[in-house]
Amino acid sequence: MTGAAPSSPTGPALRFGAGGRFELRPAEHRLLVDGAPSALGGRALDLLFALTERPGELRTKGELIERVWPGLVVEEGNLRVQVNGLRRLLGEDSIATVPGRGYRFTAALHDEAAAPARAPVAPSSKALFGRDADLARLQAALAGTGCVTLVGTAGVGKSSLARVAAAGRQGGGAWVDLATLTQEAQVAEAIARALGGQLGGGDPLPQVLELLPAHGEPLLVLDNAEHLAAGCARWAAELESRLTLLVTSQLPLGVPGERLLRLEPLPVGDGVDGRDAGEGALALLVARIRAVDARFDVSARSLPLLAALCRQLDGLPLALELAAARVPLMGLQAVHDALAERFALLSRGRRDSPARHRNLLDALDWSYGLLAPAEQSLFRALGVFAGGFTLELAATLSGDEHVSRWDIVDGLAALVERSLVSVNGEDPPRYRLLETMRAHALAKLGDDERHSARRRHAAAVLALITPSDDAQLWLADMENVREAFLWARANDLATAAQIGARAARVMVFTVWRHEVTDWLLSLQPAIEAHGGGLPPQVRALFWSMTAYLLGIRVDPRAVAAARLAVALWRPLGNPTELQIAAAHWVRAFTEPVPELDEACALLSQLTDGDDTPQAQLRLNGALAVAARIRGDTQALLACMEREQLAARELGLQQRVQVAENNICLTLVRLGRFAEGAERTRALLQSIDPDGSGRNGSLPWVLNALVEALVGLGRLDEAAALVPRSLAAGRRFGTTVAWLGILPLLAEQRRVEAAGRLAGYVRRLWTANDTALDPRELQALTCATEAAQALLGRDLAAALAAEGRGLSDEAAAALAGA
């Protein structure tokens, strides 16, 4: 295999060595030794030219291999052979080795005229995506003299943005790449070379000032300054009045007058309809994939995967570029699935990139290595948090009694300053590690340290979700609740049972309800096998909340779970929890069986004489369910009104809204459609005034309004609500919308759609081997009978069979057609 020819060296002749005995002539591609041509081979000459282009600066092994053997894959041993050959000719002190990184040309230069020319800003070869606003801010900040610092996490694209901004500036600028330097004393020499000169002996400041143009406002860019921040700060203070200084760094310099711009990851869209394909993270990912595989096409199938990749990689440009390089070989789905091992996947970047940016792990190790030991310890511990955290949660992670809250505050401040942790503008603030940073932090944890941090995290989450706390205070931390539960399920059964049960208490009207139900069901085998070793209160709470959630699913297992919970709470002397368990027992039934009467009698007995709003809320909420099962609509309405009154006395706004929705539905059942529609519209305006759809009661309220409008014969108004109703159901994981949609289809005489969707909905409602409740059965019967009446039983059955195979998207499209 033949590689591309090395690029031809240019520039003036360069003399070096004792007495200037070596003369390197780029234009002639040769080295003279004492005036005579040397016998160096082509590779050695190419290597020497590459080293002397930037005397004194580190040239990484990757850079040199790419320069001397372009397009070829060679071992580092070849590079060492050529370096040793040059040292034999030029002297051992002519080339210094930087262990593990590369080489530096260190021979003394003798020809002043051959000093390197001013290092201009080279135009960026990469297009920017989603950075128009950032570029405009940076260009505005660069107007006038002073120091502008562009800060952001590793791989976020600071250098790329700076290069575009600097190259577009009139007169350009001088560029200093500090990444290869290792000592602050080297900054002055690097600045001098960038300005087209070299330092002699003595104070470097006047020598650098002498190199500045006499007129105008020159631009000097100090790129990758985080590891030499103190030295750069000193030079910024000296030079800011004479020029415009642009610094890229992971942390601010902290000099007076510094103008700070923080660069965030690229915006990440949902990719649902392709609107985001031309900008931001998605556009960058697609462009980089096409750069290595021009055949790659964005399709309806690939778009969601591309968007998911962008989300998983936090919109971080470096991570997106590294992932893109893997797609042609592995395929998009395989790259997406392999992100669990992201640091193995996201390697092998562009060979013309800085060395630490060719591998995501190297980039993050560089940032991590700049932290103090205490900051590293805190960063590692913070990896256990998912989806963000508060200062109070962070303070629970320290296992060292000598680490105070203020140590945590200071440590967080340092991590935020170094762009490893982000903080929002809320009060109190929430902190977050990007998922890439979080994976890196977790990878740095040792086994013992990880187990200890996980245990403290689970304990903190359990304390966070105590029943006395306002649920809204910790619902923002549900991803932490999930993380703690999953760890505890494998390591601490009692903690897992308590986390799942306590979370279940407020999950009914949130997107987490189904997941929390699955948590409890996943624990059931272990609880049944080893529950005897758990504290009695933990077992009783687990079975009580399992019954509660199974009852909401209309799962027949709810009755046995509730019965067991009642039996477990009876001897424990906790009347409140016993009342709650008895209420769950009542709610678990779907038919008017004798055991329902037994459960109602127990609940009434337990609340007899207890007129507190809490007790009345439990009693009337459960008795309302019993009245509905028995078909006693008047009793149902009375119980709901008493339940709503108790919730209002307790200030439980969501329970008031739930009770109001149930009252509206009951009015519809009683045929009082106009009253039901009026109250439901008022409730809808109350819970969703701006149409944002964040309230967990929304699916049920929209369905109640659809049913009321169908009862009034206002079918067009009902049909207009169908897309919104289905969207709310998808968001909160419920299929309640179909209770109103199926009767609507029947009234519209859309019998074929009704027949198909009857099959689809029956599949949904019986997916967990659960029995249909009376309302579900009524809705299905309405749709099925309408289809049978006009199409006949056989065709209606065929349509239902066809409907059972519909996807969710196809069913939604059919319903809203």
Side-chain angles (χ1 to χ4, degrees):
M1 177 180 176
T2 303
S7 58
S8 299
T10 59
L14 189 70
R15 297 181 68 85
F16 58 89
R21 63 188 298 254
F22 299 106
E23 183 179 357
L24 190 62
R25 295 184 175 181
E28 301 173 21
H29 202 269
R30 64 176 179 165
L31 174 70
L32 302 182
V33 182
D34 298 326
S38 73
L40 282 180
R43 299 292 188 191
L45 270 173
D46 292 335
L47 177 58
L48 183 57
F49 284 124
L51 287 167
T52 56
E53 280 178 355
R54 300 205 301 264
E57 290 189 24
L58 170 68
R59 301 303 298 269
T60 66
K61 296 176 183 178
E63 289 175 315
L64 295 173
I65 289 174
E66 180 67 20
R67 176 67 178 274
V68 179
W69 293 273
L72 298 178
V73 178
V74 299
E75 298 295 331
E76 288 184 7
N78 293 340
L79 180 60
R80 287 195 297 272
V81 168
Q82 298 298 334
V83 169
N84 290 335
L86 287 175
R87 283 173 173 159
R88 284 193 294 271
L89 175 64
L90 307 177
E92 290 296 325
D93 295 334
S94 61
I95 301 174
T97 299
V98 181
R101 301 183 69 184
Y103 301 94
R104 181 185 292 117
F105 185 76
T106 53
L109 301 177
H110 285 261
D111 191 349
E112 290 295 329
R118 179 173 178 268
V121 179
S124 175
S125 62
K126 301 179 183 178
L128 292 178
F129 296 90
R131 293 296 190 202
D132 290 348
D134 295 316
L135 180 59
R137 285 193 306 136
L138 180 55
Q139 288 171 330
L142 291 174
T145 58
C147 178
V148 178
T149 305
L150 186 62
V151 297
T153 190
V156 79
K158 301 182 294 296
S159 298
S160 296
L161 183 63
R163 194 172 291 280
V164 172
R169 182 183 169 96
Q170 186 175 5
W175 189 277
V176 182
D177 185 357
L178 301 170
T180 58
L181 307 187
T182 58
Q183 301 174 20
E184 291 181 1
Q186 297 168 337
V187 174
E189 180 64 42
I191 292 175
R193 283 197 302 272
L195 294 173
Q198 287 182 292
L199 294 181
D203 186 356
L205 177 59
Q207 300 179 61
V208 169
L209 293 177
E210 186 67 26
L211 295 172
L212 296 178
H215 304 287
E217 295 175 351
L219 173 68
L220 176 65
V221 183
L222 302 182
D223 190 31
N224 301 304
E226 54 272 352
H227 61 305
L228 300 172
C232 291
R234 287 193 290 272
W235 277 100
E238 298 287 357
L239 298 175
E240 64 175 357
S241 63
R242 293 286 305 274
L243 50 68
T244 302
L245 185 65
L246 173 57
V247 180
T248 73
S249 175
Q250 292 178 23
L251 75 163
L253 296 188
V255 296
E258 179 181 25
R259 299 191 292 280
L260 195 65
L261 277 70
R262 187 168 293 277
L263 191 62
E264 301 293 342
L266 290 171
V268 177
D270 55 22
V272 171
D273 55 8
R275 288 177 299 177
D276 312 301
E279 60 185 31
L282 196 54
L284 173 64
L285 180 60
V286 171
R288 296 297 181 259
I289 295 174
R290 285 175 173 164
V292 289
D293 183 1
R295 300 166 299 174
F296 182 79
D297 185 37
V298 178
S299 64
R301 178 178 176 274
S302 65
L303 199 56
L305 274 176
L306 289 165
L309 264 178
C310 292
R311 288 192 297 273
Q312 288 176 296
L313 295 175
D314 308 300
L316 198 62
L318 174 61
L320 293 169
E321 294 196 5
L322 295 173
R326 294 289 194 180
V327 170
L329 179 64
M330 298 175 59
L332 194 58
Q333 184 69 57
V335 169
H336 174 274
D337 295 344
L339 275 179
E341 302 177 58
R342 69 178 64 203
F343 295 121
L345 173 74
L346 303 180
S347 60
R348 298 177 181 270
R350 293 164 56 103
R351 295 185 71 174
D352 61 351
S353 301
R356 69 179 188 278
H357 281 181
R358 294 179 194 158
N359 181 301
L360 185 61
L361 184 58
D362 288 346
L364 297 181
D365 279 345
W366 164 271
S367 303
Y368 178 79
L370 299 176
L371 300 175
E375 295 164 355
Q376 291 180 340
S377 178
L378 178 60
F379 176 70
R380 294 194 302 270
L382 293 177
V384 300
F385 288 115
F389 54 92
T390 62
L391 175 60
E392 299 302 325
L393 273 178
T396 65
L397 288 185
S398 176
D400 186 346
E401 61 182 8
H402 301 295
V403 176
S404 70
R405 173 188 174 87
W406 289 111
D407 292 325
I408 300 294
V409 172
D410 291 342
L412 268 177
L415 295 176
V416 169
E417 185 178 60
R418 289 184 174 274
S419 308
L420 290 170
V421 172
S422 60
V423 57
N424 65 17
E426 298 175 6
D427 188 14
R430 285 187 64 81
Y431 303 87
R432 177 175 176 260
L433 275 71
L434 298 179
E435 282 305 304
T436 299
M437 307 301 170
R438 181 169 178 254
H440 186 249
L442 289 173
K444 291 291 184 183
L445 283 171
D447 290 341
D448 292 342
E449 190 180 19
R450 180 182 296 107
H451 186 80
S452 177
R454 290 287 191 188
R455 182 171 294 282
R456 288 194 295 273
H457 177 251
V461 167
L462 185 57
L464 183 71
I465 57 175
T466 53
S468 60
D469 284 342
D470 181 354
Q472 295 304 317
L473 295 179
W474 59 268
L475 279 176
D477 282 298
M478 274 305 296
E479 290 188 46
N480 278 314
V481 177
R482 173 200 280 149
E483 196 80 5
F485 172 81
L486 293 176
W487 175 85
R489 184 171 64 182
N491 297 275
D492 186 339
L493 182 59
T495 297
Q498 291 178 84
I499 290 174
R502 290 181 184 180
R505 287 218 146 127
V506 292
M507 290 300 100
V508 181
F509 296 104
T510 73
V511 294
W512 294 89
R513 187 187 81 202
H514 291 285
E515 183 173 350
V516 173
T517 303
D518 291 339
W519 292 357
L520 294 182
L521 293 179
S522 72
L523 289 180
Q524 190 169 331
I527 296 288
E528 290 173 341
H530 309 292
L534 298 180
Q537 292 88 348
V538 174
R539 291 180 62 212
L541 180 64
F542 169 81
W543 286 111
S544 180
M545 299 317 299
T546 299
Y548 179 44
L549 293 180
L550 287 176
I552 293 171
R553 276 193 179 184
V554 199
D555 190 313
R557 294 175 292 178
V559 174
R563 189 189 307 121
L564 176 57
V566 168
L568 290 169
W569 278 119
R570 279 184 187 274
L572 296 180
N574 191 325
T576 298
E577 290 293 350
L578 182 56
Q579 280 183 14
I580 293 171
H584 294 165
W585 192 17
V586 173
R587 292 173 178 274
F589 294 95
T590 58
E591 296 179 357
V593 295
E595 191 177 347
L596 172 60
D597 299 333
E598 180 186 348
C600 289
L602 174 64
L603 180 59
S604 298
Q605 175 189 337
L606 292 172
T607 54
D608 186 27
D610 187 348
D611 294 328
T612 62
Q614 293 91 338
Q616 293 304 306
L617 186 68
R618 296 184 200 106
L619 174 65
N620 287 288
L623 293 183
V625 173
R628 180 171 61 83
I629 292 171
R630 293 170 178 146
D632 189 344
T633 311
Q634 293 293 348
L636 172 60
L637 187 58
C639 287
M640 287 177 175
E641 289 173 342
R642 289 194 293 269
E643 179 189 19
Q644 187 181 52
L645 178 61
R648 190 170 283 116
E649 288 184 47
L650 291 169
L652 302 176
Q653 185 59 28
Q654 188 178 53
R655 288 295 296 270
V656 171
Q657 293 169 352
V658 171
E660 177 66 11
N661 186 60
N662 288 333
I663 290 170
C664 294
L665 274 173
T666 304
L667 291 172
V668 173
R669 299 288 180 274
L670 290 171
R672 294 157 62 177
F673 301 118
E675 185 180 356
E678 181 181 357
R679 290 182 67 161
T680 306
R681 282 195 188 280
L683 177 59
L684 181 60
Q685 181 60 32
S686 171
I687 70 168
D688 197 31
D690 58 357
S692 60
R694 296 189 183 94
N695 191 297
S697 300
L698 184 61
W700 287 265
V701 176
L702 285 169
N703 173 69
L705 183 54
V706 169
E707 290 195 39
L709 292 172
V710 170
L712 289 169
R714 290 152 61 176
L715 304 185
D716 289 345
E717 291 180 53
L721 289 171
V722 166
R724 186 180 176 189
S725 183
L726 285 171
R730 284 193 298 272
R731 178 167 187 171
F732 291 97
T734 176
T735 59
V736 69
W738 296 105
L739 290 172
I741 293 173
L742 290 179
L744 170 63
L745 295 173
E747 289 296 322
Q748 289 178 316
R749 298 294 189 267
R750 293 180 56 202
V751 291
E752 290 192 13
R756 287 188 178 90
L757 290 172
Y760 165 79
V761 173
R762 184 178 291 276
R763 188 195 80 206
L764 287 185
W765 286 345
T766 58
N768 297 318
D769 297 324
T770 56
L772 296 171
D773 74 13
R775 290 177 59 203
E776 293 171 339
L777 184 60
Q778 180 182 358
L780 279 173
T781 300
C782 178
T784 302
E785 289 180 349
Q788 290 176 347
L790 291 179
L791 302 174
R793 288 184 175 276
D794 291 344
L795 183 52
L799 289 172
E802 182 182 324
R804 283 192 287 273
L806 286 175
S807 66
D808 294 341
E809 293 77 12
L814 184 58

